Amino acid sequence: MTHQDHELSITRYIDAPPQAVYRAYTERTADWWVPKPWTTPAVQWDLRTGGRMYTEMRSPEGQTDGGEGVFLEVVPGERIVWTNAFKPGWEPQALSNEGCDFAMVAAVSFEPEGSGTRYTARVRHWDPEALKKHQEMGFEQGWSMCAAQLAEIAEAEARTAVAA
């Protein structure tokens, strides 16, 4: 059995250089992190290995769900890896029964492709049950919508930079 047996992934070509996509990913997170009409009212990221990763999501009805984790690897402009299995200080955390109640590791890459970027998000799960839950939550549709929102921001910023 390989890690791919418990992996879900999405990929998208973004017509902007990797640094622009990375900048949008890390600096405009609140604008793309959840599929609209949901919003992200809180983003607290300490972009370094072991740094805290906290996001709060809000439904159109006002229901909120926060998620905390840590960054496992941060290579600016190239790669970000994070997990919800730990809190800062490498303390294992119990996951709530609301929202995401399974542990995962997400590896996001920003690879040069022509004049743009191949954005890929791979999410690994501990077991088939967690993978199935994530699929049933709408992984492919939700993460693809978020990637489209990220692309829109990065591409607009890249066009603005070229015009300047």
Side-chain angles (χ1 to χ4, degrees), residues 1 12 57 67 73 82 94 110 113 120 132 134 143 156:
M1 186 175 288
R12 179 186 182 97
M57 300 164 282
E73 180 182 21
W82 56 268
F110 311 88
E113 184 176 311
T120 303
K132 184 177 179 191
H134 209 176
W143 284 56

Side-chain angles (χ1 to χ4, degrees), residues 30 57 82 140 150 153:
M57 300 164 282
W82 56 268
E140 187 171 332
L150 173 64
I153 293 164

Side-chain angles (χ1 to χ4, degrees), residues 25-85:
Y25 188 96
T26 59
E27 296 176 12
R28 304 246 342 245
T29 310
D31 297 327
W32 67 266
W33 186 252
V34 292
K36 292 176 182 175
W38 282 64
T39 59
T40 309
V43 176
Q44 298 165 5
W45 285 10
D46 180 4
L47 283 165
R48 62 180 177 81
T49 300
R52 181 177 189 238
M53 178 189 190
Y54 175 80
T55 56
E56 182 179 283
M57 300 164 282
R58 181 176 294 145
S59 74
E61 299 77 32
Q63 180 182 8
T64 60
D65 183 24
E68 185 172 38
V70 294
F71 291 102
L72 301 173
E73 180 182 21
V74 178
V75 180
E78 295 179 22
R79 183 174 167 87
I80 295 177
V81 182
W82 56 268
T83 184
N84 66 343

